[in-house]
Every structure is written in C-alpha cells, then in structure tokens.
Amino acid sequence: ADFVAKDIDWKAVQSAAGNLSFADLARASQDAAKDMVLDDRPALATSDIVFALEQRKSSRPSLMEHQ
C-alpha cells in the first residue's frame, strides 16, 4: 500500500523539532507513521508529525533543560 504525506507544513515541523537529535527525529517520524497505519489513515498530516515530536521532547526532559 502507498502512504502519502499531504500538505505538510515543514516550517511547523522544523519549529516543533527544536534541538532534538537525529535519533529522536527518526523515532518521532517512525511513531507518526506507525500511528497513521494503526489508525488506518491513508495520509500523514503535519499534526501527526508535530505531535510525535512533542512526545519525544516530553520524554527527554534533560534535553529541554539545556536550551
């Protein structure tokens, strides 16, 4: 099956990414895609990616303290 990322607001994604590491960015991307599949949705939205990035930030409090 083909999956689509429609009308992604990359500036919003960049803003939400903040100072996350590449590993955290990759994990957030995987989480967003996994949630899309599990929810049986045909497309990935900006909100999916931003939510996953925010979840990664909240799971890494020490990262946010060093900003």
Side-chain angles (χ1 to χ4, degrees):
D2 292 331
F3 298 103
V4 179
K6 288 188 171 194
D7 302 320
I8 301 297
D9 179 352
W10 293 111
K11 292 219 182 267
V13 171
Q14 181 181 13
S15 178
N19 293 327
L20 289 174
S21 69
F22 180 77
D24 283 325
L25 294 174
R27 180 64 186 261
S29 299
Q30 292 171 342
D31 289 346
K34 178 189 71 174
D35 289 344
M36 178 196 71
V37 170
L38 292 175
D39 292 342
D40 198 29
R41 291 183 282 123
L44 191 66
T46 301
S47 60
D48 298 321
I49 302 168
V50 169
F51 178 77
L53 290 167
E54 294 297 333
Q55 290 293 97
R56 294 304 300 163
K57 283 183 187 177
S58 68
S59 71
R60 308 275 311 238
S62 61
L63 176 69
M64 307 301 8
E65 292 170 5
H66 299 299
Q67 288 188 6

